[in-house]
Amino acid sequence: MIPLGVRIAALSLLSLAAALPTAPIFFADRSAAAGLAFRTTYGGKDTSTYILETTGTGVAFLDYDRDGRPDLFFANGTTLAGFPTGQAPRCALYRNNGDGTFTDVTVAAGVARSGWGQGVAVGDYDNDGWPDVYLTFFGRNVLLRNKGDGTFADATEAAGVAAGGWSTSAAFADYDNDGRLDLYVARYVDFDLKTAPRPGAQKNCFYHGFPVMCGPRGLAGARDVLFRNNGDGTFTDVTVRAGELDRERYRGLGVVWGDYDDDGWPDLFVANDAHPNLLYHNDRNGTFTEVAFAAGVAFDEDGRERAGMGVDFGDYDNDGKLDLAVTNFYGEPHSLYLNQGHGTFLETTWPSGIGEATMRSLGWGTGFADFDNDGNKDLFFVNGHVYPEVDRQQLDETHAERSLVFRNKGDGSFADVTASAGETLASRWVGRGAAFGDYDDDGRIDVVISTVNDRAVLLHNESGGGNHWLTVKLTGTRGNRDAIGARITARAGAVTQMHEVHGGGSYLSQSDLRAHFGLGSLAVVPSLEIRWPGGAIERFTDVAADQTLAIDEGKGIVSRRGPTTAGAARPPR
Amino acid sequence: MSPVPAVPLLVLATALVVGAEPPADGLDARTHLALGQRYSAQGLFPQAIEHLQRAIEQEPDAPQGHYLLGVTYSLMNETTRAVAELERAAHLAPDHAGFRYYLGLAYLAAGRTPDAARELAESVRLDPRSAEARSNLAWALMSLGKNGEAARVLLAALERQPRNASTWFLLGESLRRLGENEKAIGYFEKALELDPAHADALFSLGTVYALRQDREKAIASYRHLLAIDPRHPGAHYQLGKILLRDGKLDEAIEHLEKSVAAQPALKGAHYQLARAYRLRGQNEKAEREAETFRRLGSEPVDDASWRTDAAPPARAPRETGQPQPGPAAAHYEMGVARQRAGRFSEAMAALEQAVALEPDHAAAWSSLGWTYARLGRYGKALEAYLRARQLRPDDMQTLRGLGATYGNLERWPEATEAFERAAGLNAADAGAQYDLGRAYSKQRRPRDAADAYRRAIALQPGLTAAHFNLGLARVDLGENAEAIEAFRDALRLEPGHAPARFNLAFALLAAGDRAGAREQQKALEALDPNLALQLALRLDGGGR
């Protein structure tokens, strides 16, 4: 049976293509107003002795208490000198109060963890309906099982997912379509503080002639890990069995799952630092084949390996295929790859306008999201240098950098609209992680940024234009509860928008798992199709815009919620 | 067959050239200085050093001797010694702009760019008229990521020399790096207005247009460049990329093939060729290009340095107060100075001027050949070297450069002939024997190669690369025990020589000494984690 959506009579069904007013993108820093007092501690402020002090931390949107409002989880780090007992910086969980503010519930939730924290992954690995959290560290990783009562329990040992070494981004997905979330953990460098070379010690320990922390070149990479969910609360390391993954131990930083060839099986992309990127094609039998070179995403168009950091899959040209964005080092552009179908990508970094505008940025978190709700996915890049020392050398580059936002012009190219996107984007931060989600349910995608040795930044999306939107929260019943891997397609006439619920993406972070569509002036979506993990299809027709739908697999729309005005939205511009 | 496909390379200083004339005794410091300077100019460096050291012995606190000795060491690529002597000269005469300038250049060659920038800035302060010091200072600043400061220095230089095309080009380049592409285009065009054949300006102009998606203007710039230099590998490559993006497969492939013909190690061109062949359905060719691309990316030693085997030809160090040279000599000297500063396109332009003004200037032709080769323009390098050889048939540097150029063009029989002639001219030249060994290796003549390497080692036992290559030749000959010995000799000289350790492990493995191979693998982990991993994968069985 096809569930019925809301029908609204007498509305002209404008095509999505016709519904593309150019609404300005605008963000305001609401960190203080939202009560978000979190500060990251990570390595030395003015000097980085080791590469360990440069990678920073991530952030995640998750609805840990299932009240329908995205909460926030921040990873945190430490310093080489360390801290007295009980005073070490810790990660933090902030509960969304539903009125545009957050409350720190870290202690009450039992999630305070210290150490060289890195990434945050979110997924309901035990399918109990409550999102769990996986934290990566330089050191032992931590799996926090959500007990459903506002608290978490450490399930690391029981689950067997500590991994060790230096883990960075991690991401959940059900790669074998057995209904349980598996876990991929990228690892960076085989690093030992006792033996690591110091600034200036070797040829890879200089930048523009002055001594800096060594690496990543010259440092051995560490092998990533794929954990298969056994369905009993434990995982098995299948890195070798699944196709000798990361056999060459590339320095992994960014991870995202996505079905790039639309065959219903999640594939995996790993951004590596000064090593070729990896694209694992899911062979549908529990193994993967690495195809990045043939697919055209291993290198840049000159055959050079870039310093891959953050990554995201998204369909920016609305052709139903997942494209790819990757952030890179200063002096390299951030990369954009257009999915051509047939398993190949075309690098569109330069023709899209992304290249020229990002050459002088060192990028980390990134995401495709339709910030102005015009029907085309825009791009956001969080930037920040790795060498604090550049500020003392009076170079053209600086340690803190501006984040950049690009508006999708709908013709395959992007316009850098950072300068007009609000005074707050003129600020410079040493940015690292970034997560995207509509925290105040006003229908506009917000951004939260984690920084190095600075406060977290909550960018409230106050874009004008009055465009319509639709948010969809999926819950799996036969497949994984988070519906990670589900594909939602909105159609109006010949125009299609596609969103895949994906684990990972950005850098060390997890964005809101709810799907968001910008609809321009379209008040009704004529056709909404969901392909659930495992292949089941559900279709909805004439779905009204400007609401958040909750859809359960096989049960149709189970709840609807209109927009709130909690975020103190500005008048339209 | 050797597990490592690449043969290591060595930039051999021309210090190995041995002349016949012994240093004279009983001469005063001034005479020693004059003789040293003359020998240095002739490329007879051992004699030059002998005289200059004697001058210094007599007058240790006279800066001129240290200065000339420093410049001589610079010409020999002996950067550490060059820096030490020039530092001494600058210490003794801190207000001498020329000493500070050459010290700056020596720092640049030694990779000490911040020190270079400091000295060059000091040189500019002491002699604000020197546009060349300003240009080199700007270059150093650009290397340090200080493009804004470099632009300011270049603008000041242009106030004094507004018609210097290269300065306009550098100004454009610094602004391009700052992302100010509109201004950069203007400055490149200004450079081209002054010098329509300024290859670097044309190339950069094409690049900016290409980045801005102004494909018509980009194509026009690259085509213009190819009209001037039909083998310019970069122009062919960039044109190939644009045409491939436009779907003009045949044209794209034609240009990409020309780019790799001109510069076989141009990795990106192989990458794009692999794509283009695949699009044309030529999968076998595509796979071959992909394989070449992978090989270029994974070689443990930089094969590209083969192009610069021969050290740059010598230039006479000019003293302050010395009469100004004639126009050809001035261009020659400018060209060699720019070679030293790593500004090869500018060096090429100056040396082309030199040979245009004085077509029989053998040293200029030889220098030009070296510069062309350094820029990957082997066809032109060959022409220049052949002309130089015609003028001076027995010049060691020319013969070795000629051999290296033939090598880059994969014309190994002719390369061998040139190297054999060089080695025959001076049987005591270890570098020539080494070159010859390399040529034999390339021709799959491991016995001859081994003999040549042994001769090189006999002449210069500390030549690590010769020991290593001897090991590879022994492997090819199936002489595993001797190979092990040679690799061990290389490692005794240079314990951090990762490829030697890597190959030693394989030789040990072939000899059944798995434990020994494992030991090398462990040692390799600290030297080259990637090679260590490759080895570990072999030791643990399987292989991708």
Side-chain angles (χ1 to χ4, degrees):
Chain A
M1 190 184 85
I2 299 172
L4 291 174
V6 177
R7 290 181 182 278
I8 297 179
L11 281 173
S12 61
L13 296 181
L14 296 171
S15 77
L16 290 176
L20 301 176
T22 51
I25 294 175
F26 190 93
F27 290 96
D29 184 350
R30 295 285 172 211
S31 318
L36 209 57
F38 182 77
R39 289 184 70 87
T40 309
T41 299
Y42 204 87
K45 284 194 175 67
D46 303 319
T47 302
S48 291
T49 306
Y50 300 111
I51 192 171
L52 175 61
E53 299 175 85
T54 62
T55 48
T57 58
V59 55
F61 272 119
L62 79 165
D63 183 11
Y64 86 99
D65 53 358
R66 280 175 48 183
D67 64 353
R69 305 180 197 289
D71 311 300
L72 282 168
F73 200 115
F74 292 94
N76 208 347
T78 183
T79 62
L80 291 175
F83 291 85
T85 308
Q87 293 178 33
R90 51 176 175 71
C91 59
L93 175 63
Y94 281 85
R95 184 169 58 79
N96 188 331
N97 301 321
D99 59 358
T101 67
F102 291 82
T103 302
D104 185 344
V105 294
T106 312
V107 176
V111 296
R113 292 291 183 282
S114 300
W116 286 101
Q118 305 283 301
V120 190
V122 177
D124 182 8
Y125 79 97
D126 53 359
N127 279 338
D128 65 353
W130 298 92
D132 309 300
V133 174
Y134 184 74
L135 299 175
T136 60
F137 284 86
F138 168 60
R140 181 181 175 277
N141 298 337
V142 174
L143 177 64
L144 296 170
R145 186 175 64 78
N146 189 333
K147 292 160 69 178
D149 60 358
T151 68
F152 290 77
D154 191 329
T156 316
E157 284 307 314
V161 290
W166 185 352
S167 304
T168 52
S169 292
F172 285 102
D174 179 12
Y175 79 89
D176 50 2
N177 277 339
D178 66 353
R180 298 184 287 263
L181 287 179
D182 311 297
L183 177 64
Y184 190 87
V185 183
R187 290 198 289 190
Y188 188 41
V189 166
D190 185 6
F191 187 79
D192 183 348
L193 272 170
K194 293 191 200 84
T195 57
R198 295 177 66 87
Q202 299 171 4
K203 68 171 181 177
N204 291 308
C205 313
F206 290 89
Y207 186 66
H208 287 318
F210 61 88
V212 292
M213 61 86 183
C214 307
R217 292 185 194 276
L219 301 177
R223 192 172 192 175
D224 301 348
V225 189
L226 176 63
F227 290 110
R228 182 176 177 276
N229 190 330
N230 301 321
D232 59 358
T234 68
F235 289 78
T236 301
D237 180 344
V238 294
T239 315
V240 173
R241 200 201 308 164
E244 287 280 4
L245 308 184
D246 196 25
R247 192 169 190 264
E248 284 159 326
R249 298 180 197 186
Y250 291 154
R251 305 177 197 100
L253 284 179
V255 175
V256 65
W257 290 93
D259 182 10
Y260 78 93
D261 59 349
D262 195 17
D263 65 353
W265 293 78
D267 310 297
L268 176 70
F269 181 85
V270 184
N272 291 308
D273 190 3
H275 269 147
N277 297 320
L278 297 168
L279 178 63
Y280 289 109
H281 175 255
N282 191 326
D283 295 331
R284 312 180 207 178
N285 58 4
T287 69
F288 294 82
T289 301
E290 204 287 299
V291 296
F293 182 83
V297 294
F299 301 96
D300 71 3
E301 63 175 0
D302 293 321
R304 288 174 303 212
E305 50 207 23
R306 285 182 180 148
M309 314 283 194
V311 61
D312 200 25
F313 268 132
D315 177 14
Y316 80 82
D317 60 344
N318 287 338
D319 67 349
K321 296 189 281 282
L322 288 176
D323 310 304
L324 197 54
V326 185
T327 52
N328 298 303
F329 204 77
Y330 189 95
E332 300 171 335
H334 299 344
S335 310
L336 191 62
Y337 296 98
L338 179 75
N339 190 333
Q340 298 176 293
H342 314 294
T344 64
F345 291 76
L346 178 70
E347 179 166 8
T348 51
T349 302
W350 297 103
S352 67
I354 296 294
E356 195 172 337
T358 59
M359 277 293 285
R360 283 156 294 283
S361 298
L362 201 164
W364 304 88
T366 184
F368 287 105
D370 186 357
F371 297 113
D372 53 1
N373 285 335
D374 68 349
N376 293 304
K377 289 184 176 65
D378 311 301
L379 262 172
F380 198 98
F381 297 113
V382 170
N383 302 306
H385 216 292
V386 293
Y387 303 123
E389 296 87 348
V390 293
D391 288 340
R392 293 199 293 277
Q393 298 294 332
Q394 296 169 310
L395 308 184
D396 303 324
E397 51 215 276
T398 54
H399 191 213
E401 295 183 352
R402 285 191 314 150
S403 293
L404 298 171
V405 59
F406 288 82
R407 191 177 67 79
N408 187 331
K409 292 158 73 178
D411 59 359
S413 70
F414 290 78
D416 179 355
V417 295
T418 312
S420 62
E423 281 177 19
T424 193
L425 286 184
S427 305
R428 292 169 188 264
W429 304 294
V430 186
R432 290 296 186 265
F436 303 85
D438 180 9
Y439 78 91
D440 58 347
D441 282 333
D442 66 352
R444 292 173 287 195
I445 295 289
D446 311 302
V447 187
V448 61
I449 298 171
S450 61
T451 63
V452 172
N453 291 319
D454 202 350
R455 64 182 178 89
V457 180
L458 179 66
L459 296 178
H460 182 243
N461 184 342
E462 299 180 1
S463 302
N467 285 333
H468 295 289
W469 54 274
L470 181 69
T471 299
V472 183
K473 159 82 170 118
L474 298 182
T475 302
T477 54
R478 290 185 286 270
N480 72 84
R481 288 293 292 263
D482 288 325
I484 288 174
R487 193 171 264 228
I488 307 169
T489 305
R491 289 193 182 87
V495 179
T496 299
Q497 280 190 58
M498 183 271 286
H499 180 97
E500 189 173 298
V501 181
H502 59 262
S506 191
Y507 172 71
L508 303 176
S509 299
Q510 176 64 57
S511 295
D512 189 356
L513 289 172
R514 297 180 303 178
H516 171 268
F517 294 92
L519 300 173
S521 59
L522 194 72
V524 171
V525 178
S527 166
L528 191 73
E529 180 185 291
I530 297 164
R531 187 184 73 194
W532 296 92
I537 304 284
E538 287 186 60
R539 292 189 183 88
F540 303 84
T541 55
D542 298 343
V543 178
D546 305 329
Q547 59 174 335
T548 300
L549 296 180
I551 300 176
D552 286 3
E553 184 178 11
K555 297 178 184 169
I557 297 168
V558 295
S559 78
R560 301 187 179 90
R561 194 160 71 188
T564 67
T565 54
R570 298 165 69 97
R573 285 158 192 286
Chain B
M1 201 179 82
S2 160
V4 174
V7 180
L9 302 150
L10 186 68
V11 178
L12 282 173
T14 39
L16 297 165
V17 175
V18 177
E21 188 180 340
D25 290 319
L27 303 174
D28 63 10
R30 197 173 162 186
T31 309
H32 279 303
L33 280 181
L35 282 170
Q37 184 178 357
R38 200 180 81 197
Y39 283 127
S40 188
Q42 291 170 348
L44 299 171
F45 300 128
Q47 291 91 327
I49 290 168
E50 185 76 32
H51 283 290
L52 294 171
Q53 282 175 339
R54 282 174 182 245
I56 291 168
E57 276 167 23
Q58 290 183 28
E59 294 180 2
D61 291 336
Q64 200 70 13
H66 294 287
Y67 158 68
L68 289 171
L69 188 55
V71 172
T72 303
Y73 281 134
S74 287
L75 294 170
M76 296 164 64
N77 277 342
E78 297 251 6
T79 48
T80 308
R81 286 179 176 166
V83 164
E85 293 301 331
L86 289 164
E87 278 177 341
R88 181 78 184 136
H91 174 75
L92 291 166
D95 293 334
H96 195 296
F99 295 171
R100 308 300 287 262
Y101 173 69
Y102 278 99
L103 178 56
L105 294 187
Y107 280 140
L108 268 182
R112 293 172 57 179
T113 317
D115 293 329
R118 187 195 62 231
E119 289 304 318
L120 290 166
E122 192 59 18
S123 169
V124 168
R125 190 187 65 78
L126 291 164
D127 180 8
R129 295 163 305 169
S130 170
E132 188 157 293
R134 283 185 196 274
S135 292
N136 277 296
L137 171 60
W139 183 253
L141 290 169
M142 287 164 72
S143 304
L144 290 170
K146 299 181 179 185
N147 292 291
E149 204 178 329
R152 285 190 289 277
V153 169
L154 289 162
L155 282 168
L158 283 166
E159 277 177 21
R160 295 176 183 279
Q161 282 197 339
R163 299 194 59 77
N164 186 318
S166 290
T167 308
W168 285 107
F169 159 71
L170 278 179
L171 181 58
E173 190 58 24
S174 62
L175 289 168
R176 184 179 76 81
R177 294 179 185 197
L178 284 167
E180 296 187 36
N181 287 333
E182 284 299 333
K183 284 184 186 168
I185 287 171
Y187 293 135
F188 292 144
E189 283 173 347
K190 181 73 183 170
L192 288 166
E193 188 186 303
L194 294 165
D195 177 4
H198 198 295
D200 286 340
L202 274 169
F203 187 75
S204 288
L205 192 58
T207 303
V208 177
Y209 282 136
L211 295 183
R212 296 174 67 85
Q213 305 305 306
D214 194 341
R215 53 177 301 290
E216 296 303 329
K217 285 184 177 170
I219 288 172
S221 298
Y222 293 133
R223 288 203 194 284
H224 186 177
L225 177 51
L226 287 174
I228 294 165
D229 179 359
R231 285 176 52 84
H232 195 289
H236 280 299
Y237 171 53
Q238 296 296 342
L239 259 182
K241 274 203 308 188
I242 294 171
L243 293 166
L244 186 58
R245 223 178 280 146
D246 288 350
K248 295 179 179 172
L249 260 184
D250 293 342
E251 254 188 290
I253 286 174
E254 189 186 330
H255 281 291
L256 291 168
E257 284 175 340
K258 283 182 179 170
S259 70
V260 296
Q263 191 171 335
L266 193 52
K267 205 177 150 190
H270 291 287
Y271 180 73
Q272 291 290 346
L273 259 181
R275 279 191 58 218
Y277 284 139
R278 197 174 297 118
L279 287 171
R280 207 160 65 174
Q282 293 172 288
N283 291 334
E284 205 172 303
K285 278 187 159 186
E287 191 42 48
R288 204 159 48 233
E289 289 302 328
E291 192 48 47
T292 305
F293 166 76
R294 287 190 198 102
R295 184 174 55 77
L296 287 170
S298 61
E299 282 182 359
V301 282
D302 178 16
D303 200 36
S305 59
W306 174 246
R307 295 199 299 272
T308 58
D309 245 357
R315 176 190 59 79
R318 182 153 55 89
E319 289 180 78
T320 311
Q322 190 179 325
Q324 292 296 314
H331 282 291
Y332 166 65
E333 203 166 296
M334 187 189 301
V336 175
R338 286 174 177 180
Q339 275 181 343
R340 307 307 313 171
R343 291 158 53 186
F344 302 115
S345 293
E346 290 174 49
M348 179 185 74
L351 291 164
E352 282 173 343
Q353 284 287 334
V355 296
L357 291 164
E358 192 180 325
D360 291 342
H361 195 312
W365 280 111
S366 191
S367 286
L368 188 55
W370 186 90
T371 308
Y372 281 140
R374 181 62 200 240
L375 290 167
R377 300 173 202 184
Y378 303 120
K380 295 203 76 130
L382 187 59
E383 286 170 22
Y385 274 131
L386 287 172
R387 176 77 180 124
R389 188 179 67 173
Q390 193 183 20
L391 293 165
R392 266 198 340 211
D394 290 339
D395 181 73
M396 283 287 285
Q397 286 187 27
T398 298
L399 287 168
R400 289 182 60 196
L402 180 63
T405 304
Y406 275 131
N408 280 304
L409 293 166
E410 302 292 330
R411 292 166 63 173
W412 291 105
E414 289 143 302
T416 307
E417 192 185 323
F419 287 140
E420 280 174 342
R421 185 165 172 76
L425 281 172
N426 185 353
D429 187 330
Q433 295 295 343
Y434 175 81
D435 285 342
L436 190 55
R438 291 235 22 216
Y440 287 140
S441 291
K442 285 284 184 184
Q443 289 196 87
R444 299 182 188 283
R445 293 168 60 181
R447 178 61 62 201
D448 292 330
D451 290 345
Y453 291 134
R454 280 195 300 104
R455 288 195 295 274
I457 291 166
L459 292 163
Q460 192 175 334
L463 205 49
T464 312
H467 288 284
F468 173 65
N469 278 356
L470 175 60
L472 293 180
R474 297 292 199 196
V475 170
D476 288 343
L477 288 165
E479 296 169 357
N480 202 47
E482 291 82 353
I484 290 172
E485 192 183 337
F487 292 136
R488 286 200 195 283
D489 287 342
L491 288 167
R492 259 191 290 279
L493 290 164
E494 196 180 321
H497 197 297
R501 214 165 270 290
F502 183 75
N503 282 281
L504 172 60
F506 276 90
L508 291 169
L509 207 53
D513 183 359
R514 198 173 183 79
R518 179 68 72 183
E519 197 180 314
Q520 297 306 321
Q521 192 267 336
K522 291 279 176 221
L524 204 49
E525 278 174 358
L527 297 172
D528 187 327
N530 295 319
L531 277 185
L533 176 63
Q534 282 183 44
L535 186 53
L537 293 173
R538 300 280 177 96
L539 281 167
D540 296 337
R544 182 172 273 185

